[in-house]
Amino acid sequence: MTGSTVPHAAEPEPAAGWAPTRALGRAVLLAGLLLVAGVLLGRVDLIVLAAPFALGTAYALRRRPTALPQVWINPGDDGPLVEGGDVAAAVSVGNPDTVDYDLVVVRSRVSQWLRIDRAGFAGSVDDALAADVTAAGGAARSAADRPFVTSVPTGAAVDLELAGRALRWGRHPVGPAGARVATAGGLLVSRAVITEPVGVRVYPRTEPFEAVEAMPRAAGLVGAHHSRRPGEGGELAGVRIFAPGDRLRRIDWRVSLRARQLHVAATLSDRDAEVVVLLDVLAEAGRSGGVGGAASVLDTTVRATAAIAEHYLHRGDRVSLLEYGPGARRLRPAAGRRQYLTVLEWLLDVRADSSPHEPYDQVFGPQLLSSDALVVVLTPLLDERSAQMLARLARAGRFVVAVDTLPTDLTPPKDRGWAEVAYRLWRLDRETMIGQLREHGVPVVRWAGAGSLDQVLRDVARLATAPRVGGR
């Protein structure tokens, strides 16, 4: 386990960072009052009563602490954590001093998207509290939202274990965590030692997704898609006369015997395709309920991107990601499992960010978007600039598929007056916008998981192979 190490305090007077408690003040005051009263009144019994307080305080302070506790956070990164997966983090408190810590109070903050159901020191997880948290509604109350108390012997460390579930994708902090220590029989207390939060990476859950093999244009060298170019593939293109360089296993003996000349079976090459997934991050709508709950625009966008990328990367295609927004982030095209892991890491930083400027030019330069790529645009169509961007891509001859990510359960505002009417007018205006996009040749389909893009991909592939009028 790794974490921030607190430097040792200076020696030896009450060490820096340590202060007397009220118990020490009461013991000194009581012993002093009894001694003064015994001397002034000449009563030995008062001096005898003061002796235990004075001797006990002196004995407890015979060894003073010289070092502050060390606190660090272990996020428990044993493997990739996906939405709905189990979180197993720990806050550790170490004792580098030569005296025991009689009392240690530990407390930590945890992101609301990490629902901690059980929390406690190793070997003593508070199951009763876990049951209360589950009954109370989970995210509304966290088992980590309270102080925990233990003791730490010298040269040892204890772990405050935090167990629960990850509710949503993203980078979620565990911490900051703090600890205060009481020692010398509770007569000295340390200042609060705070450690910086540690981020826990939660990857989006990949929804099951399958799509047809239809691609508008396969332009790579090798792959799984049938192209229109001749080559070593599995799709029969015809029979032609044998030429130097043809493989003997391609000879069609039936045709050769009839024609009395060697003929070979010509095939079309199987090539890979480039898929560009474009994320519209100009606007956010809906309320995120985490895994198993309601999905906002960003939730649908990120999870759909992960599913589409996994599908095409598994087939050997090249996938790249683009953000349509002021940040204009881009992930270069690549293939393979390494690219899939890079896609998941890239998606953790997706944020909705509106901007008054038009981000089209810096996102879609000719060097960034291949003319043969299939562009899948995930957009809620809440901004007019998004529709204009789709229309420009279609006019430029790109193969575009628009995926509507607006939640279906989006409700109108509950304000009285014209709110409901305005909401209905906005809905009609949005439907008109979608109709205009379809007239421009941009298919718009709602995301529905596996099979939701099949018909659209077939239509785009058919249009790409259709003859163009006027040589265009």
Side-chain angles (χ1 to χ4, degrees):
M1 293 184 293
T2 60
S4 58
T5 303
V6 181
H8 290 280
E11 307 216 3
E13 290 291 324
W18 292 86
T21 64
R22 294 183 178 180
L24 177 59
R26 288 193 298 267
V28 173
L29 178 62
L30 182 58
L33 290 177
L34 289 175
L35 288 174
V36 172
V39 171
L40 294 178
L41 300 177
R43 296 183 56 179
V44 179
D45 57 337
L46 295 180
I47 298 177
V48 172
L49 288 176
F53 294 99
L55 294 176
T57 302
Y59 181 80
L61 294 176
R62 74 191 189 284
R63 297 176 61 190
R64 299 184 182 181
T66 59
L68 290 172
Q70 297 175 344
V71 182
W72 65 91
I73 299 174
N74 176 25
D77 289 337
D78 295 333
L81 184 59
V82 185
E83 288 179 306
D86 295 332
V87 179
V91 179
S92 301
V93 180
N95 181 1
D97 213 324
T98 57
V99 298
D100 296 339
Y101 291 159
D102 301 325
L103 186 69
V104 179
V105 180
V106 185
R107 191 164 189 172
S108 175
R109 291 183 178 178
V110 181
S111 170
Q112 62 172 336
W113 298 116
L114 300 178
R115 187 180 67 188
I116 303 302
D117 298 326
R118 295 178 300 157
F121 290 101
S124 61
V125 176
D126 195 342
D127 293 327
L129 181 60
D132 294 342
V133 171
T134 304
R141 179 184 175 191
S142 174
D145 191 22
R146 68 183 183 97
F148 294 85
V149 179
T150 187
S151 60
V152 183
T154 180
V158 296
D159 296 332
L160 173 61
E161 297 179 350
L162 307 175
R165 293 180 62 210
L167 300 181
R168 190 174 185 258
W169 58 272
R171 303 182 189 272
H172 305 305
V174 176
R180 296 193 72 180
V181 172
T183 187
L187 300 181
L188 296 177
V189 64
S190 71
R191 64 171 174 84
V193 177
I194 308 296
T195 186
E196 294 297 324
V198 175
V200 175
R201 296 175 300 176
V202 181
Y203 294 139
R205 185 178 61 178
T206 304
E207 300 179 359
F209 176 74
E210 294 290 339
V212 296
E213 296 184 8
M215 273 290 169
R217 195 172 294 169
L221 298 178
V222 294
H225 300 288
H226 302 313
S227 71
R228 292 176 293 172
R229 299 181 182 181
E232 295 294 330
E235 184 74 10
L236 183 63
V239 180
R240 58 176 175 80
I241 299 177
F242 181 87
D246 289 335
R247 297 187 179 185
L248 296 179
R249 64 184 179 88
R250 293 288 187 182
I251 295 177
D252 191 325
W253 292 106
R254 292 183 180 181
V255 177
S256 299
L257 290 175
R258 286 199 305 266
R260 296 189 179 185
Q261 188 177 5
L262 288 179
H263 283 69
V264 295
T267 58
L268 298 177
S269 61
D270 293 336
R271 297 171 178 264
D272 67 346
E274 180 179 345
V275 179
V276 179
V277 184
L278 173 61
L279 289 72
D280 182 359
V281 294
L282 289 178
E284 166 70 314
R287 184 182 297 273
S288 177
V291 62
S296 66
V297 167
L298 279 187
D299 288 340
T300 303
T301 300
V302 170
R303 292 166 185 163
T305 301
I308 294 173
E310 182 187 36
H311 170 75
Y312 286 110
L313 289 173
H314 182 71
R315 298 180 56 82
D317 296 322
R318 289 167 289 122
V319 175
S320 63
L321 303 182
L322 282 172
E323 270 190 1
Y324 184 66
R329 293 195 307 141
R330 175 177 181 265
L331 179 64
R332 62 175 181 81
R337 177 168 176 77
R338 182 176 181 180
Q339 177 71 355
Y340 176 61
L341 297 177
T342 306
V343 166
L344 294 180
E345 193 73 22
W346 190 89
L347 289 174
L348 298 183
D349 298 319
V350 173
R351 299 288 183 274
D353 190 5
S354 60
S355 172
H357 306 290
E358 172 58 59
Y360 184 89
D361 295 333
Q362 64 262 32
V363 176
F364 301 106
Q367 74 281 3
L368 296 180
L369 200 59
S370 171
S371 59
D372 296 327
L374 170 65
V375 184
V376 180
V377 183
L378 298 167
T379 173
L381 291 174
L382 294 175
D383 196 308
E384 186 178 351
R385 291 172 295 177
S386 302
Q388 295 174 355
M389 174 266 296
L390 289 168
R392 291 182 188 178
L393 287 176
R395 287 197 299 267
R398 309 292 185 183
F399 306 107
V400 186
V401 175
V403 180
D404 187 1
T405 58
L406 190 70
T408 57
D409 57 351
L410 196 65
T411 56
K414 296 182 179 180
D415 298 337
R416 296 181 179 179
W418 297 95
E420 185 175 354
V421 176
Y423 176 79
R424 292 169 60 186
L425 289 175
W426 170 78
R427 276 288 188 181
L428 292 174
D429 183 65
R430 186 173 181 273
E431 292 298 328
T432 302
M433 181 192 303
I434 293 176
Q436 292 174 347
L437 286 175
R438 288 171 176 161
E439 291 178 358
H440 280 79
V442 180
V444 181
V445 60
R446 180 170 294 278
W447 174 255
S452 57
L453 305 184
D454 285 355
Q455 186 59 44
V456 174
L457 291 177
R458 290 192 187 98
D459 295 341
V460 172
R462 186 166 54 252
L463 290 175
T465 56
R468 301 188 178 183
V469 180
R472 296 179 60 186

